[in-house]
Amino acid sequence: MVRYAEPGALDWVESGGGPLIAVPEAVLPFWTGADGEENASDYDRACEVDGCVGLLPVGDSAALVLGDEPASTAYLPEHGTFVRWCAANSEAELLAEVPQALATADWGEEVRWQVPGDVVLFDCAWPGTDTERTDSLRVVLEPGSYTVRAANVQPGPETWLGLVQLRRLP
């Protein structure tokens, strides 16, 4: 697989062309990825999500689908935000623009996500039981309800990024 995000300060997750998905660790075994009947796999369900984010039932929980485009994605815990690398000359350039991007983002409609704890971000084509063998990122989250909102932002002339922000509800 071609890596678009050069190694740097963050761990970046990439996909083979489909959406990325954040599945709660507690229900990882229930995510079957592209395995399954024709046009009825979990991968197919994830590809049907319209827009930048969506939720899909998995076991007794829900997974967060990062739709729109298969951009390299990292998680910034200090901002509670997945950052999607659409265009930038370097990781440093992209990360320097994040505060301005967060401040000026035109956020889309929010969804509410109930999370039982930590989640794993990976290419939705993979089964949840195989995340150790592929690009994946464990994201530490407190159990509870979160609002999720997304935006695509161009904070600089050659920098475009996607933002998916998680905000924990009291």
Side-chain angles (χ1 to χ4, degrees):
M1 174 186 318
V2 175
R3 293 204 58 86
Y4 297 97
E6 294 298 322
L10 297 176
D11 291 325
W12 294 89
V13 176
E14 298 187 352
S15 100
L20 294 175
I21 191 162
V23 178
E25 277 186 325
V27 295
L28 270 176
F30 298 104
W31 183 261
T32 60
D35 295 344
E37 297 178 23
E38 188 175 325
N39 296 324
S41 69
D42 284 342
Y43 172 80
D44 293 319
R45 292 189 313 133
C47 289
E48 290 174 0
V49 168
D50 190 30
C52 295
V53 293
L55 298 175
L56 288 178
V58 179
D60 63 354
S61 192
L64 177 66
V65 178
L66 305 184
D68 195 28
E69 67 174 77
S72 299
T73 303
Y75 185 72
L76 302 177
E78 67 274 20
H79 297 292
T81 302
F82 289 103
V83 176
R84 312 201 71 205
W85 186 329
C86 301
N89 291 319
S90 69
E91 179 185 77
E93 178 182 293
L94 180 111
L95 295 177
E97 297 288 357
V98 168
Q100 178 185 348
L102 287 166
T104 61
D106 183 15
W107 298 102
E109 188 173 324
E110 294 183 350
V111 296
R112 187 172 294 212
W113 188 25
Q114 184 68 34
V115 179
D118 299 349
V119 300
V120 179
L121 179 72
F122 59 99
D123 183 334
C124 72
W126 285 87
T129 55
D130 288 351
T131 57
E132 299 290 324
R133 298 183 322 149
T134 186
D135 264 356
S136 65
L137 176 65
R138 184 172 184 261
V139 176
V140 176
L141 294 178
E142 291 292 322
S145 292
Y146 290 79
T147 58
V148 181
R149 61 186 186 169
N152 289 312
V153 185
Q154 183 181 353
E158 295 183 18
T159 306
W160 293 271
L161 54 107
L163 302 170
V164 177
Q165 188 174 56
L166 312 177
R167 296 180 301 158
R168 191 160 191 273
L169 296 171

